[in-house]
Amino acid sequence: FEAFGFADTVKREAYWVNQTAIWTPDPENLDQIARSGRVQDVADDSSEMPHTLMNQARVHELFLNVMRNAPTRLEPDYNWAVRDLDIDTTGEDHPVTVTLENTGVDAGDTKTVRANYVVGCDGARSTVRTAIGGELHGDAAHQAWGVMDILANTDFPDVRQKCLVASANEGNILILPREGGYLFRMYVELDRLNPEERVSNR
């Protein structure tokens, strides 16, 4: 962010995470929760930057402003999905050939791009990773979470700080305050998924 000139904007607008409140079942009554502690969220001297939270769409907007005001006046080319990727190992220039498919207004149209490198930022079920034979190492979580941004009328005392809430029998909640001082994001633990199941299938 410093390199693109908007680190100070992020620091001004973002929510600064200083500590995490932890709520667990009340030992006197497991149907209720009680604050069991507060912990420092990030160790001292981890970074010269504060630990902050900011909406991803706002971060994208800050990058887009840099692009629009750059000498090239760049604009992203949305609605293209990677359908195939081939690597020519014979040492030619631009050894990577990528086939893209339009998913927008001209859905189904394809184009081919040749490049020296392709950066795969296409998620957990990456087409790029599959095309290069890469494997995902480690365990998948297989846990569904519901996520919502809320403006709530509440007397919960820790709603304006990062908060972990554990229940005795009904799963967990994570509260993350959003920038601006009004909304907070709530992650609600839902059902476990079967090994090959995706949340979108439910």
Side-chain angles (χ1 to χ4, degrees):
F1 294 169
E2 281 188 319
F4 287 99
F6 57 80
D8 286 341
T9 301
V10 171
K11 286 196 285 188
R12 277 195 315 274
E13 293 184 11
Y15 171 79
W16 290 35
V17 184
N18 297 313
Q19 62 180 213
T20 299
I22 300 170
W23 289 71
T24 54
D26 186 342
E28 305 293 323
N29 180 356
L30 295 181
D31 289 334
Q32 297 184 9
I33 57 173
R35 187 189 301 116
S36 57
R38 282 196 173 101
V39 296
Q40 183 176 339
D41 195 74
V42 177
D44 290 335
D45 302 322
S46 297
S47 169
E48 75 278 11
M49 293 294 184
H51 180 198
T52 63
L53 298 174
M54 179 177 270
N55 179 4
Q56 185 173 345
R58 176 62 176 143
V59 175
H60 286 179
E61 183 179 26
L62 293 168
F63 277 118
L64 287 170
N65 288 339
V66 172
M67 292 172 65
R68 289 184 188 113
N69 294 311
T72 56
R73 302 293 192 251
L74 272 175
E75 288 283 346
D77 198 356
Y78 293 112
N79 299 320
W80 290 93
V82 175
R83 290 297 173 237
D84 192 24
L85 183 148
D86 183 61
I87 302 172
D88 182 355
T89 58
T90 61
E92 297 285 325
D93 279 346
H94 304 94
V96 184
T97 303
V98 182
T99 303
L100 302 171
E101 181 180 349
N102 193 312
T103 60
V105 175
D106 299 317
D109 287 358
T110 61
K111 67 179 174 182
T112 301
V113 177
R114 296 198 60 193
N116 287 327
Y117 303 95
V118 173
V119 178
C121 303
D122 50 341
R125 298 176 188 273
S126 166
T127 302
V128 173
R129 183 193 299 130
T130 301
I132 64 173
E135 295 181 12
L136 179 62
H137 298 284
D139 295 327
H142 301 308
Q143 183 68 47
W145 289 82
V147 183
M148 55 191 153
D149 288 333
I150 301 172
L151 176 61
N153 182 2
T154 178
D155 60 0
F156 184 65
D158 290 332
V159 75
R160 287 308 308 157
Q161 65 179 272
K162 182 178 175 184
C163 193
L164 302 172
V165 182
S167 72
N169 302 304
E170 300 296 334
N172 304 300
I173 292 173
L174 173 63
I175 294 173
L176 297 173
R178 291 284 308 276
E179 67 279 9
Y182 299 102
L183 297 175
F184 62 90
R185 177 161 290 181
M186 182 178 280
Y187 291 82
V188 180
E189 187 175 16
L190 304 174
D191 293 336
R192 286 191 63 76
L193 300 172
N194 296 317
E196 299 304 318
E197 187 179 18
R198 301 188 67 177
V199 174
S200 58
N201 295 339
R202 292 203 180 188

